[in-house]
């Protein structure tokens, strides 16, 4: 079961998409309103924080094992449900919250039996302001300006201009409640591995709760049927970049309307993994190097330019929308695309939609190889979908809010997880003969209450319709995560990057796009990188280096 993805964003404090040619504003510009006089905040490091002690949930057997390093467990069927929270965490309390919602809103509480059932188990009410991702920053900052903050607040990485200032002024330091062994009071939260908590730290303190994903967005997907026709059983068998080029050549036949590659913005993540480009930044001896300053990055752009020039990309596919890319892959026009691993499962996931379009087609996650015959390097770029901040409150109220979060983080296999994700049995879902929950026709009207964007457990790999899909995806995570590297600046804060990083990086992205498409040159890309450095990139670097050393 995978969470809904945020729109391409994979990091709350960095610009991974710039490294792959897309750019997102992860922090807005301007002063934080409603927090008094604006002050200047220095860069900050997370390493000094006392992270929660990881205590895995016991007694829940999986079909495929998970690990403390974050490889998710795999399940072919839903386990026999068990109760993970015995006592109602609220005592008639009303908890307020603001978070994202994706898609149509659910039925209101008074017409939503699943919502009512959750609150019955909680022993209180949760008043949720659910806002679309497009409107979230405006709504959040209007709320901040009004001074009336809810108890729980989603930090989606885009809404808060001056994050450290806001956290220190308005949000609870959770270290005294969750740091080290303290988290044992909340066993479901304690079952979330440490790597997910690192992203919740600012200014050396634990300021929020994680909403875990599965660590890596992966390297893309391929049509296994097409590759088998050219003698490749799986992409990990490909020897090096030259062997890959030959495979791409065999997969391309314009007269049959078929190309090897075709992805929005060239789908460069796949190539970055093959060439071992750093994950946004590279740290060595305390010194930071931006990914596009490296030889690996330039090698990717040169290689992609050759592939494009030689006709191995669908002409113009770099400008495709997401839906155009998906349709081209499902329809057999392209053999390989880049999309995140969460897109593999579910009713519209590639594991079902590709054979649904053609019974002979099979989708598989792309497992990268090293361009030089060595190992590939993936990115741990999908650690948390977001984090959730708690408003400053007295200890009694904070304990209730954390109790609520512990309930919402109930693990896969529990009664609570079923209730939160599938609703009320007999109305929103039924259990089939194999013990798997099957949603009713109108279940989404009740089950899209955004509980999962207030707190959530570590994810698992689960597809009750296909053992093969579970095996493929679990195998992919088992191979990709050990190859993964983190962004060394992920839990650091740079004021310059927070306010100007997107603007400074966009010319580099534009120059790289032009170089690949033949409208520009590598020398022009190098000039854009040099301009980035002198226009503010070196300031960003120095702030991150200072934070890293702190």
């Amino acid at each position: 079961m995978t969470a809904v993805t945020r729109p391409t964003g994979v990091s709350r404090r960095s610009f991974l998409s710039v490294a792959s040619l897309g750019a997102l504003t992860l922090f807005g510009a301007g002063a934080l309103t409603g927090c008094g006089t604006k002050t200047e905040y220095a860069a900050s490091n997370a390493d000094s924080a006392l992270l929660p002690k990881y205590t895995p949930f016991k007694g829940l057997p999986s079909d495929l094992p998970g690990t403390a390093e974050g490889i998710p467990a795999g399940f072919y069927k839903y386990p026999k449900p068990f109760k993970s929270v015995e006592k109602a965490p609220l005592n008639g309390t009303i908890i307020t919250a603001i978070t994202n919602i994706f898609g149509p809103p659910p039925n209101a509480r008074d017409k939503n039996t699943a919502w009512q059932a959750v609150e019955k188990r909680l022993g209180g009410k949760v008043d949720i302001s659910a806002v679309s991702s497009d409107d979230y920053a405006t709504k959040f900052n209007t709320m901040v300006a009004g001074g009336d903050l809810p108890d729980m607040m989603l930090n989606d990485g885009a809404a808060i201009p001056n994050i450290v200032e806001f956290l220190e002024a308005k949000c609870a330091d959770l270290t005294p409640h969750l740091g080290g062994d303290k988290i044992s009071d909340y066993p479901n939260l304690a079952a979330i591995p440490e790597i997910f908590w690192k992203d919740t730290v600012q200014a050396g303190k634990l300021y929020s709760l994680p909403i875990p994903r599965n660590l890596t967005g992966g390297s893309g997907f391929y049509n296994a049927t097409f590759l088998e026709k050219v003698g490749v059983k799986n992409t990990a068998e490909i020897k090096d970049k030259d062997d890959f080029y030959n495979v791409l050549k065999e997969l391309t036949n314009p007269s049959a309307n078929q190309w090897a590659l075709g992805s929005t913005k060239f789908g460069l993540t796949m190539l970055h993994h093959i060439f071992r480009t750093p994950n946004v930044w590279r740290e060595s001896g305390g010194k930071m190097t931006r990914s596009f300053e490296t030889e690996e990055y330039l090698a990717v752009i040169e290689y992609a330019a050759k592939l494009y020039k030689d006709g191995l990309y669908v002409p113009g596919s770099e400008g495709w929308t997401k839906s155009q890319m998906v349709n081209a892959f499902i329809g057999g026009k392209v053999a390989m695309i880049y999309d995140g691993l969460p897109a593999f499962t579910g009713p519209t996931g590639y594991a079902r939609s590709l054979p649904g379009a053609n019974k002979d087609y099979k989708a598989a996650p792309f497992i990268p190889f090293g361009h030089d015959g060595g190992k590939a390097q993936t990115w741990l770029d999908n650690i948390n979908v977001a984090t959730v901040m708690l408003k400053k409150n007295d200890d009694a109220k904070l304990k209730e809010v954390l109790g609520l979060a512990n309930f919402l983080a109930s693990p896969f296999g529990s009664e609570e997880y079923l209730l939160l994700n599938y609703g009320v049995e007999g109305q929103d879902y039924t259990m089939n003969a194999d013990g798997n929950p099957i949603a009713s026709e109108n279940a989404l009207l009740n089950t899209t209450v955004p509980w999962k964007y207030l707190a959530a457990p570590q994810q698992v790999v689960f597809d009750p319709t296909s053992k093969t899909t579970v095996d493929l995806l679990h195998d992919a995570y088992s191979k990709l995560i050990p190859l993964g590297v983190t962004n060394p600046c992920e839990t650091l804060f740079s004021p310059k990057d927070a306010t100007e990083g997107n603007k400074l990086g966009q010319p580099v992205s534009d120059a790289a796009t032009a170089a690949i498409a033949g409208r520009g040159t590598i020398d022009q890309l190098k000039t854009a990188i040099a301009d980035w450095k002198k226009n503010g990139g070196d300031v960003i670097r120095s702030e991150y280096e200072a934070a890293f050393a702190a």
Side-chain angles (χ1 to χ4, degrees):
M1 182 65 62
T2 54
V4 180
T5 58
R6 292 187 336 196
T8 339
V10 288
S11 170
R12 298 190 300 107
R13 281 180 290 283
S14 57
F15 294 88
L16 278 180
S17 51
V18 174
S20 301
L21 295 190
L24 289 176
T25 302
L26 298 184
F27 288 91
L32 176 70
T33 56
C35 288
T37 304
K38 184 180 183 297
T39 57
E40 295 298 326
Y41 278 80
S44 58
N45 192 345
D47 286 350
S48 59
L50 179 62
L51 294 173
K53 180 181 178 181
Y54 170 57
T55 306
F57 201 90
K58 296 180 180 179
L60 180 61
S62 60
D63 296 296
L64 300 168
T67 70
E69 291 70 36
I71 294 173
F75 293 85
Y76 301 137
K77 61 178 291 185
Y78 201 86
K80 183 178 179 180
F82 62 94
K83 185 175 288 188
S84 72
V85 177
E86 293 291 339
K87 183 180 178 182
L90 307 182
N91 186 22
T93 310
I94 297 176
I95 303 297
T96 56
I98 183 170
T99 190
N100 273 171
I101 191 168
F102 300 86
N107 287 333
R109 177 195 280 122
D110 60 348
K111 297 179 180 179
N112 192 322
T113 53
W115 192 332
Q116 295 167 17
V118 170
E119 291 185 332
K120 183 177 180 180
R121 284 290 315 271
L122 291 173
K125 291 186 176 182
V126 184
D127 288 344
I128 303 174
S129 177
V131 185
S132 72
S133 58
D134 290 340
D135 299 327
Y136 191 76
T138 300
K139 174 72 173 180
F140 187 90
N141 283 293
T142 299
M143 179 193 67
V144 171
D148 186 18
L149 299 181
D151 299 307
M152 305 179 78
M153 299 165 282
L154 183 86
N155 177 13
D156 69 345
I160 307 170
N162 301 289
I163 183 65
V164 175
E165 179 180 349
F166 177 76
L167 291 170
E168 294 191 341
K170 299 294 182 179
C171 299
D173 173 11
L174 301 179
T175 312
H177 301 273
L178 301 178
D181 291 328
K182 295 288 187 180
I183 200 171
S184 62
D185 291 337
Y186 311 98
N188 291 336
L189 293 176
I192 299 173
E194 182 179 286
I195 189 170
F196 300 101
W197 288 98
K198 290 182 177 180
D199 201 30
T200 70
V201 175
Q202 283 283 11
K205 297 177 181 178
L206 193 68
Y207 268 118
S208 52
L209 305 171
I211 302 178
R213 298 300 295 274
N214 274 330
L215 296 185
T216 180
S219 303
F221 301 102
Y222 65 94
N223 188 321
T225 303
F226 289 175
L227 267 73
E228 288 170 2
K229 288 181 180 179
V230 299
V232 179
K233 291 182 179 179
N234 64 75
T235 55
E237 293 180 352
I238 298 172
K239 297 175 183 177
D240 53 30
K241 68 180 189 297
D242 296 328
D243 191 24
F244 188 46
Y245 179 88
N246 293 332
V247 170
L248 299 180
K249 259 304 208 191
E250 290 190 73
L251 290 168
T252 300
N253 184 1
S255 64
N257 199 35
Q258 184 177 317
W259 284 263
L261 301 168
S263 290
T264 308
K265 296 181 180 176
F266 301 107
L268 291 183
T269 299
M270 180 185 296
L271 300 183
H272 282 306
H273 293 177
I274 291 169
F275 281 82
R276 298 190 289 274
T277 305
N279 183 355
V280 188
W281 291 89
R282 172 181 288 157
E283 182 273 325
S284 179
K287 300 298 182 182
M288 299 294 177
T289 303
R290 188 66 167 82
S291 60
F292 49 60
E293 298 179 278
T294 65
E295 293 180 0
E296 293 90 342
Y297 180 91
L298 293 176
V300 166
I301 303 305
E302 290 177 330
Y303 187 72
K306 175 176 173 58
L307 300 181
Y308 194 84
K309 180 181 178 182
D310 293 351
L312 305 182
Y313 280 97
V314 178
S317 58
E318 68 275 12
W320 278 348
T321 63
K322 172 72 176 290
S323 61
Q324 286 175 312
M325 180 188 74
V326 170
N327 289 337
F329 184 56
I330 292 172
K333 187 173 184 176
V334 294
M336 300 180 189
I337 61 167
Y338 177 74
D339 201 353
L341 279 175
F344 192 61
T345 59
T348 61
Y350 297 119
R352 297 192 206 178
S353 60
L354 203 63
N358 185 316
K359 63 181 178 61
D360 295 323
Y361 288 173
K362 296 178 292 184
F366 188 100
I367 307 300
F369 49 88
H371 69 97
D372 53 2
K375 287 185 177 181
Q377 176 177 281
T378 61
W379 295 339
L380 300 183
D381 56 3
N382 200 25
I383 297 174
N384 290 307
V385 66
T387 61
V388 173
M389 308 163 292
L390 306 190
K391 182 180 72 173
K392 285 185 176 179
N393 262 311
D394 59 65
D395 280 356
K397 183 63 175 289
L398 279 175
K399 288 179 179 178
E400 282 197 289
V401 177
L402 288 171
L404 164 62
N406 184 69
F407 184 95
L408 299 181
S410 295
F412 178 86
S414 66
E415 294 177 3
E416 295 83 4
Y417 186 96
L418 267 180
L419 175 60
L420 291 164
N421 289 276
Y422 291 93
V424 176
E425 185 174 6
Q427 177 173 317
D428 301 308
Y429 74 94
T430 56
M431 287 294 202
N432 67 10
D434 295 323
N436 290 312
I438 305 298
S440 65
E441 183 178 355
N442 296 315
L444 289 178
L445 295 174
N446 287 333
T447 59
T448 49
V449 180
W451 304 114
K452 67 177 71 175
Y453 300 115
L454 294 176
Q458 181 185 7
Q459 294 189 347
V460 302
V461 177
F462 171 59
D463 187 336
T465 68
S466 172
K467 177 179 181 295
T468 299
T469 297
V470 174
D471 288 340
L472 279 170
L473 191 54
H474 185 270
D475 180 69
Y477 280 121
S478 299
K479 291 175 178 175
L480 292 166
I481 289 174
L483 294 172
V485 294
T486 59
N487 169 10
C489 297
E490 176 67 22
T491 56
L492 308 181
F493 178 70
S494 158
K496 186 76 169 179
D497 201 10
T499 56
E500 300 182 44
N502 183 34
K503 179 181 177 181
L504 291 171
Q506 190 61 50
V508 177
S509 173
D510 293 341
T513 298
I516 295 172
R519 302 188 301 269
T521 66
I522 292 296
D523 284 342
Q524 289 171 330
L525 173 57
K526 290 179 179 178
T527 297
I529 294 168
D531 289 343
W532 171 83
K533 292 173 65 177
K534 68 182 181 183
N535 291 337
D538 281 341
V539 175
I540 294 172
R541 183 198 326 280
S542 66
E543 289 177 347
Y544 279 134
E545 288 174 351
F548 186 81

